[in-house]
Amino acid sequence: MTKLDSKIPEGPIKDKWTNHKNNIKLVNPANKRSIDVIIVGTGLAGGSAAATLAELGYNVKAFCYQDSPRRAHSIAAQGGINAAKNYQGDGDSTYRLFYDTVKGGDYRSREANVHRLAEVSTNIIDQCVAQGVPFARDYGGLLDNRSFGGVQVSRTFYAKGQTGQQLLLGCYSAMSRQIGKGKIAMYNRHEMVELVIVDGKARGIIARNLVTGELERHSAHAVVIASGGYGNVFFLSTNAMGSNVSAGWKIHKKGAFFANPCFTQIHPTCIPQHGDQQSKLTLMSESLRNDGRIWVPAKKEDSEAIRAGKKKPTDIAEADRDYYLERRYPSFGNLVPRDVASRAAKERCDAGFGVGTNETGEAVYLDFSAAIMRYGREDANIHGHHDASEEEIKTRGEKVIESKYGNLFQMYEKITADNPYKTPMKIYPAVHYTMGGVWVDYNLMTTVPGCYCIGEANFSDHGANRLGASALMQGLADGYFVLPYTIGDYLANDIRTGAIPTDTSEFEEAEKSAQEKIDFFINNNGTKSVDHFHKRLGHVMWNKVGMARNEQGLKEAITEIQEIRAEFWKDVKVPGTADGINQELEKAGRVADFLELGELFARDALERKESCGGHFREEYQTEEGEAVRDDKNFTHVSAWEYQGEPSEAIMHKEELKYENIELKTRSYK
């Protein structure tokens, strides 16, 4: 049985990463040329790792199911990327970023990893500026910052509302340089369908060419999984529709432990669902909470009138508005962490104060009217218009807001047909990021030797709740500044190994297994589509394993998911053939994995008898609805070992030790 060894270095936390780098094995430049590395996924984590490892001299094979690395879901990140530069002089530091991240994760993350993340964060900004990423700048030309939820400083660097896109283009430019030099072999429209293990080590993958349908064997001395999160287990989420868990689940089935699957983030600022036929949800950046104020009517009759279409939000007087986050959390106000803001919105809507005109009535307002007037007055004063009219102030304020958030406002209006400059946005929580993922040690290696996992696909840095603008930080930290060091420690033993052959029984068996699953889907001739089963799974997950969970609902969810999975394997229908483009076949394999993950997800939530971060058990809360942790029994990582069925998985615990931060009840009041 595999044992957990986090490989956390000894010594003071501020010295762990420096001392570790000083003592791990290295591979000299000449030897790097004889070593191959496979990277699955080319978002910010995978793309930065591919570019950096190739720059160092390794031979990299990069795989993405999209038609280009530029299509990775990292492109959808809007609000910004954190770094402890302290450009504002407002008290930020490496320690403060470390503290905020551990606290924001509700004390369920690994201290050593988080401190390393905070340390390297400043390097990321320098790297990206050198690549030409057009970060916003202030009047004097210096890089600008804004704040995000869960912090009291401004440490978030941004490029309007398209930070992920700009960072990915910078990363892709670095990749393109190496592709041009022949150091990266890029396999677009290829999906990993199996991990190949030889003599106990990850030595390659089986990939399906999504254009021709062919299965291909690819070998390497190490395999890196950078395939993102699994939020689409809920069917409706803010993730791209192609985002999936399959690469992570394939290595889980080959021995990689899967950690904390129930730690999934609900994002508070999303456009509400508007019908049964919707295929995904749209995120509105958390950066909007810097200037937008969140409220619902203070009187139920006003909420009912709005839902009935008899009143507009602009009809509600200021005295009749409940700015509930400012009321409940005066210290942080609208910038409380995502899990806190999401539950507060749910509580108001469940109590009958929601303003959604959709079937559920679930929505609250995100209002920019106060910010427009504030910025307008500032701008008028700057230009000497001290007696500006209210109309002029509004016009000037709208222009300032447009310069900061213009593309987000435009996107909202395109989707909803409402002008957010004139009327408040409607928002409601939705599934977003996954803090859980493949278990990795300090070196980012899984429990399968030679198999690494980076970015959102691993579990390591965010605990039970990710703070806003930390996803891009972790992905680029892993790819640019952590993995390139730690993977050398392992690969130093392979400098004499030579190329890994693919004409072996291990590759043959892995390819045969992948082909058998494909043949099953094509030949099954059931009566129901893949989406039929995915939607049913998502319905169970949202209603019983979503924002709030309880013992009875979780037990029911496990039984229902098992029933859906059994029916899926009997009655799924995949039209078309396997020898070409077949997106239904792609989806079938991914949904098959979601149907297994969903059960383990619910089981993990059932076993964790506490509330923390994004995991909220209704049985464990204060009278005011705040989460109640159980530090005595659950200050650990739950790492699950595959045993054939999710119901048979074995849980291993990695105890979490807090030597630098005091364990205490999280408060944002």
mmCIF file of all heavy atoms in Angstrom, residues 77-97:
data_model
loop_
_atom_site.group_PDB
_atom_site.id
_atom_site.type_symbol
_atom_site.label_atom_id
_atom_site.label_comp_id
_atom_site.label_asym_id
_atom_site.label_seq_id
_atom_site.Cartn_x
_atom_site.Cartn_y
_atom_site.Cartn_z
ATOM 1 N N ALA A 77 -10.047 33.587 -17.099
ATOM 2 C CA ALA A 77 -9.824 34.290 -15.829
ATOM 3 C C ALA A 77 -9.839 35.795 -16.083
ATOM 4 O O ALA A 77 -9.184 36.289 -16.992
ATOM 5 C CB ALA A 77 -8.492 33.863 -15.225
ATOM 6 N N GLN A 78 -10.581 36.527 -15.263
ATOM 7 C CA GLN A 78 -10.830 37.927 -15.574
ATOM 8 C C GLN A 78 -10.098 38.906 -14.673
ATOM 9 O O GLN A 78 -9.439 39.844 -15.124
ATOM 10 C CB GLN A 78 -12.349 38.195 -15.477
ATOM 11 C CG GLN A 78 -13.174 37.376 -16.446
ATOM 12 C CD GLN A 78 -14.658 37.391 -16.110
ATOM 13 O OE1 GLN A 78 -15.050 37.733 -14.996
ATOM 14 N NE2 GLN A 78 -15.487 37.004 -17.061
ATOM 15 N N GLY A 79 -10.182 38.674 -13.352
ATOM 16 C CA GLY A 79 -9.923 39.761 -12.416
ATOM 17 C C GLY A 79 -8.486 40.118 -12.148
ATOM 18 O O GLY A 79 -8.167 41.288 -11.949
ATOM 19 N N GLY A 80 -7.572 39.139 -12.098
ATOM 20 C CA GLY A 80 -6.198 39.513 -11.799
ATOM 21 C C GLY A 80 -5.375 38.380 -11.216
ATOM 22 O O GLY A 80 -5.819 37.247 -11.114
ATOM 23 N N ILE A 81 -4.147 38.727 -10.842
ATOM 24 C CA ILE A 81 -3.189 37.765 -10.289
ATOM 25 C C ILE A 81 -2.507 38.406 -9.083
ATOM 26 O O ILE A 81 -2.049 39.553 -9.141
ATOM 27 C CB ILE A 81 -2.161 37.329 -11.358
ATOM 28 C CG1 ILE A 81 -1.108 36.379 -10.756
ATOM 29 C CG2 ILE A 81 -1.492 38.519 -12.034
ATOM 30 C CD1 ILE A 81 -0.215 35.734 -11.811
ATOM 31 N N ASN A 82 -2.432 37.675 -7.982
ATOM 32 C CA ASN A 82 -1.869 38.202 -6.738
ATOM 33 C C ASN A 82 -0.344 38.135 -6.723
ATOM 34 O O ASN A 82 0.253 37.206 -7.276
ATOM 35 C CB ASN A 82 -2.406 37.409 -5.539
ATOM 36 C CG ASN A 82 -3.856 37.721 -5.253
ATOM 37 O OD1 ASN A 82 -4.331 38.808 -5.538
ATOM 38 N ND2 ASN A 82 -4.573 36.757 -4.693
ATOM 39 N N ALA A 83 0.252 39.101 -6.049
ATOM 40 C CA ALA A 83 1.693 39.080 -5.784
ATOM 41 C C ALA A 83 1.990 40.068 -4.669
ATOM 42 O O ALA A 83 1.399 41.152 -4.617
ATOM 43 C CB ALA A 83 2.495 39.436 -7.031
ATOM 44 N N ALA A 84 2.909 39.689 -3.794
ATOM 45 C CA ALA A 84 3.203 40.506 -2.605
ATOM 46 C C ALA A 84 4.265 41.561 -2.904
ATOM 47 O O ALA A 84 5.310 41.635 -2.259
ATOM 48 C CB ALA A 84 3.662 39.598 -1.462
ATOM 49 N N LYS A 85 4.004 42.402 -3.879
ATOM 50 C CA LYS A 85 4.956 43.454 -4.255
ATOM 51 C C LYS A 85 4.897 44.664 -3.320
ATOM 52 O O LYS A 85 5.855 45.430 -3.236
ATOM 53 C CB LYS A 85 4.661 43.923 -5.689
ATOM 54 C CG LYS A 85 5.102 42.955 -6.784
ATOM 55 C CD LYS A 85 6.592 43.015 -6.996
ATOM 56 C CE LYS A 85 6.999 42.375 -8.306
ATOM 57 N NZ LYS A 85 8.470 42.372 -8.489
ATOM 58 N N ASN A 86 3.747 44.877 -2.696
ATOM 59 C CA ASN A 86 3.527 46.031 -1.823
ATOM 60 C C ASN A 86 3.773 47.360 -2.536
ATOM 61 O O ASN A 86 4.337 48.306 -1.973
ATOM 62 C CB ASN A 86 4.396 45.951 -0.562
ATOM 63 C CG ASN A 86 3.922 46.921 0.529
ATOM 64 O OD1 ASN A 86 2.733 47.211 0.638
ATOM 65 N ND2 ASN A 86 4.852 47.436 1.322
ATOM 66 N N TYR A 87 3.369 47.435 -3.797
ATOM 67 C CA TYR A 87 3.515 48.692 -4.537
ATOM 68 C C TYR A 87 2.676 49.813 -3.924
ATOM 69 O O TYR A 87 3.012 50.980 -4.056
ATOM 70 C CB TYR A 87 3.079 48.489 -5.991
ATOM 71 C CG TYR A 87 4.109 47.801 -6.853
ATOM 72 C CD1 TYR A 87 3.783 47.372 -8.136
ATOM 73 C CD2 TYR A 87 5.413 47.594 -6.412
ATOM 74 C CE1 TYR A 87 4.711 46.743 -8.949
ATOM 75 C CE2 TYR A 87 6.346 46.967 -7.204
ATOM 76 C CZ TYR A 87 5.997 46.542 -8.479
ATOM 77 O OH TYR A 87 6.923 45.927 -9.269
ATOM 78 N N GLN A 88 1.571 49.453 -3.263
ATOM 79 C CA GLN A 88 0.703 50.481 -2.688
ATOM 80 C C GLN A 88 1.236 51.003 -1.352
ATOM 81 O O GLN A 88 0.732 52.003 -0.835
ATOM 82 C CB GLN A 88 -0.704 49.898 -2.446
ATOM 83 C CG GLN A 88 -1.344 49.255 -3.667
ATOM 84 C CD GLN A 88 -1.739 50.265 -4.717
ATOM 85 O OE1 GLN A 88 -2.100 51.383 -4.376
ATOM 86 N NE2 GLN A 88 -1.659 49.898 -5.980
ATOM 87 N N GLY A 89 2.195 50.307 -0.789
ATOM 88 C CA GLY A 89 2.692 50.693 0.531
ATOM 89 C C GLY A 89 1.629 50.574 1.607
ATOM 90 O O GLY A 89 1.605 51.345 2.571
ATOM 91 N N ASP A 90 0.744 49.579 1.446
ATOM 92 C CA ASP A 90 -0.377 49.457 2.389
ATOM 93 C C ASP A 90 -0.210 48.310 3.375
ATOM 94 O O ASP A 90 -1.170 47.838 3.958
ATOM 95 C CB ASP A 90 -1.709 49.327 1.638
ATOM 96 C CG ASP A 90 -1.739 48.144 0.670
ATOM 97 O OD1 ASP A 90 -0.714 47.426 0.562
ATOM 98 O OD2 ASP A 90 -2.781 47.943 0.028
ATOM 99 N N GLY A 91 1.031 47.856 3.552
ATOM 100 C CA GLY A 91 1.297 46.857 4.582
ATOM 101 C C GLY A 91 1.412 45.444 4.076
ATOM 102 O O GLY A 91 1.461 44.497 4.874
ATOM 103 N N ASP A 92 1.466 45.236 2.753
ATOM 104 C CA ASP A 92 1.567 43.882 2.225
ATOM 105 C C ASP A 92 2.989 43.350 2.393
ATOM 106 O O ASP A 92 3.955 44.111 2.523
ATOM 107 C CB ASP A 92 1.166 43.850 0.753
ATOM 108 C CG ASP A 92 0.742 42.464 0.297
ATOM 109 O OD1 ASP A 92 0.575 41.577 1.170
ATOM 110 O OD2 ASP A 92 0.564 42.256 -0.906
ATOM 111 N N SER A 93 3.098 42.021 2.406
ATOM 112 C CA SER A 93 4.397 41.365 2.539
ATOM 113 C C SER A 93 4.227 39.907 2.171
ATOM 114 O O SER A 93 3.104 39.415 2.027
ATOM 115 C CB SER A 93 4.909 41.463 3.981
ATOM 116 O OG SER A 93 4.033 40.748 4.855
ATOM 117 N N THR A 94 5.332 39.202 2.035
ATOM 118 C CA THR A 94 5.271 37.762 1.773
ATOM 119 C C THR A 94 4.488 37.063 2.877
ATOM 120 O O THR A 94 3.635 36.208 2.610
ATOM 121 C CB THR A 94 6.694 37.168 1.685
ATOM 122 O OG1 THR A 94 7.361 37.733 0.551
ATOM 123 C CG2 THR A 94 6.645 35.654 1.539
ATOM 124 N N TYR A 95 4.766 37.431 4.115
ATOM 125 C CA TYR A 95 4.058 36.796 5.228
ATOM 126 C C TYR A 95 2.571 37.099 5.169
ATOM 127 O O TYR A 95 1.743 36.225 5.430
ATOM 128 C CB TYR A 95 4.613 37.259 6.583
ATOM 129 C CG TYR A 95 3.886 36.610 7.747
ATOM 130 C CD1 TYR A 95 4.248 35.345 8.204
ATOM 131 C CD2 TYR A 95 2.796 37.245 8.351
ATOM 132 C CE1 TYR A 95 3.562 34.736 9.236
ATOM 133 C CE2 TYR A 95 2.099 36.647 9.382
ATOM 134 C CZ TYR A 95 2.486 35.384 9.820
ATOM 135 O OH TYR A 95 1.787 34.766 10.839
ATOM 136 N N ARG A 96 2.185 38.337 4.825
ATOM 137 C CA ARG A 96 0.771 38.704 4.795
ATOM 138 C C ARG A 96 0.036 37.907 3.709
ATOM 139 O O ARG A 96 -1.081 37.448 3.927
ATOM 140 C CB ARG A 96 0.643 40.209 4.551
ATOM 141 C CG ARG A 96 -0.776 40.717 4.374
ATOM 142 C CD ARG A 96 -1.626 40.526 5.603
ATOM 143 N NE ARG A 96 -1.122 41.266 6.742
ATOM 144 C CZ ARG A 96 -1.707 41.256 7.935
ATOM 145 N NH1 ARG A 96 -2.801 40.542 8.144
ATOM 146 N NH2 ARG A 96 -1.191 41.931 8.943
ATOM 147 N N LEU A 97 0.655 37.730 2.553
ATOM 148 C CA LEU A 97 0.039 36.920 1.496
ATOM 149 C C LEU A 97 -0.090 35.468 1.948
ATOM 150 O O LEU A 97 -1.124 34.820 1.732
ATOM 151 C CB LEU A 97 0.873 37.013 0.211
ATOM 152 C CG LEU A 97 0.447 36.136 -0.972
ATOM 153 C CD1 LEU A 97 -1.021 36.319 -1.319
ATOM 154 C CD2 LEU A 97 1.312 36.437 -2.191
#
